[in-house]
């Protein structure tokens, strides 16, 4: 009955490889996000999709490409991985903001290590 | 200057202490102020939020916003070892580009038995 799930939980790979992280939410939310949390714990938004439409696209290298096949899924594909991509990547989702803040529900994170 | 500033700590207190966690922000358009708690190797989870200025209490936790000084606080009474976590403040505006959560760095808290 996990609300926001991510796979894989851990990912160790070599520089230059291409990898994908998958995210699924069963909360019926319209909006999904990808965040990167670095070793200093700073949480930085990367992308946000609302009903499969990209609404936030922060200054992220174009090696990172999100894809939302439907509103319950938001995947993140990373090309040509670099050492600096090592971080924990969190997926989150939120319900439609009806005058209240968009409470975000986070997945467990994917710990990416690039060697 | 970051839009939301938060001292990363770490903060270490004995069990039972009153804990005060603080953030400042710079954007006057922010209307909602949240506190998220993140346990080690887990995703953040929402603790509570306040709208505009004022206080909000939930059990041992009190969130406070002072919009005149752009200051956000979270107080934890009778702190417990289970409160040991990183606490992240976040702020959100109402519309347009401000309709995006802006996060603080997070403050690491250890409550020692």
């Amino acid at each position: 009955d996990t609300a926001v799930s991510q796979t894989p939980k851990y990912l160790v790979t070599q520089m230059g490889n291409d990898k994908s992280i998958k995210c699924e939410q069963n909360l019926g939310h319209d909006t999904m996000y990808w965040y990167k949390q670095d070793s200093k714990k700073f949480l930085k938004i990367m992308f946000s999709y609302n009903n499969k439409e990209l609404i936030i696209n922060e200054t992220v290298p174009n090696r990172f490409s999100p894809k939302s096949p439907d509103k319950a899924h938001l995947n993140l594909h990373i090309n040509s991985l670099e050492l600096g991509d090592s971080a924990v990547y969190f997926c989150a989702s939120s319900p439609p903001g009806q005058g209240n803040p968009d409470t975000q529900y986070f997945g467990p994170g994917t710990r990416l290590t690039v060697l | 200057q970051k839009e939301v500033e938060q001292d990363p700590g770490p903060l270490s207190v004995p069990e039972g202490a009153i804990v005060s966690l603080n953030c400042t922000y710079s954007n006057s358009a922010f209307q909602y102020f949240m506190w998220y708690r993140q346990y080690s190797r887990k995703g953040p989870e929402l603790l509570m939020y306040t709208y505009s200025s004022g206080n909000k209490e939930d059990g041992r936790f009190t969130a406070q916003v002072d919009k005149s000084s752009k200051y956000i606080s979270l107080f934890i009474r009778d702190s417990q070892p289970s409160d040991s976590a990183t606490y992240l403040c976040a702020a959100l505006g109402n519309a347009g580009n401000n309709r995006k959560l802006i996060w603080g760095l997070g403050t690491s808290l250890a409550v020692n038995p």
Side-chain angles (χ1 to χ4, degrees), chain B residues 15-80:
Chain B
E15 184 174 352
I18 296 174
V19 176
S20 171
L21 302 165
N22 307 295
C23 292
T24 58
Y25 66 94
S26 57
N27 190 338
S28 302
F30 289 150
Q31 295 286 340
Y32 296 97
F33 304 92
M34 283 89 147
W35 286 96
Y36 278 75
R37 177 176 60 196
Q38 184 177 19
Y39 289 115
S40 181
R41 296 187 176 261
K42 300 279 187 189
E45 55 178 348
L46 180 70
L47 258 181
M48 53 201 305
Y49 75 88
T50 50
Y51 173 71
S52 195
S53 275
N55 289 2
K56 189 170 186 177
E57 195 173 312
D58 184 0
R60 297 183 295 109
F61 297 85
T62 301
Q64 199 171 74
V65 175
D66 182 345
K67 291 199 85 180
S68 61
S69 57
K70 296 190 176 72
Y71 204 78
I72 314 163
S73 301
L74 178 71
F75 299 98
I76 308 174
R77 288 186 301 282
D78 187 25
S79 55
Q80 303 295 308

Side-chain angles (χ1 to χ4, degrees), chain A residues 9-10 35 37-38 40-45 56 58 90 97-109 111, chain B residues 2 8 32 34 36 38-46 49 51 86 88 92 94 97 99-101 103-106:
Chain A
K9 200 166 181 183
Y10 299 95
Y35 284 92
Q37 189 172 47
D38 60 27
K40 292 181 182 174
K41 297 286 193 181
F42 182 58
L43 201 58
K44 181 177 162 52
I45 190 163
I56 293 175
E58 290 296 292
F90 285 103
Q98 297 158 344
N100 288 324
D102 302 330
T103 302
Q104 295 188 19
Y105 296 79
F106 284 78
R111 189 170 292 270
Chain B
K2 286 192 166 57
Y32 296 97
M34 283 89 147
Y36 278 75
Q38 184 177 19
Y39 289 115
S40 181
R41 296 187 176 261
K42 300 279 187 189
E45 55 178 348
L46 180 70
Y49 75 88
Y51 173 71
T86 297
L88 299 116
L92 178 73
N94 260 334
N97 206 36
R99 192 74 182 162
K100 181 175 74 178
L101 263 185
W103 297 83
L105 263 178

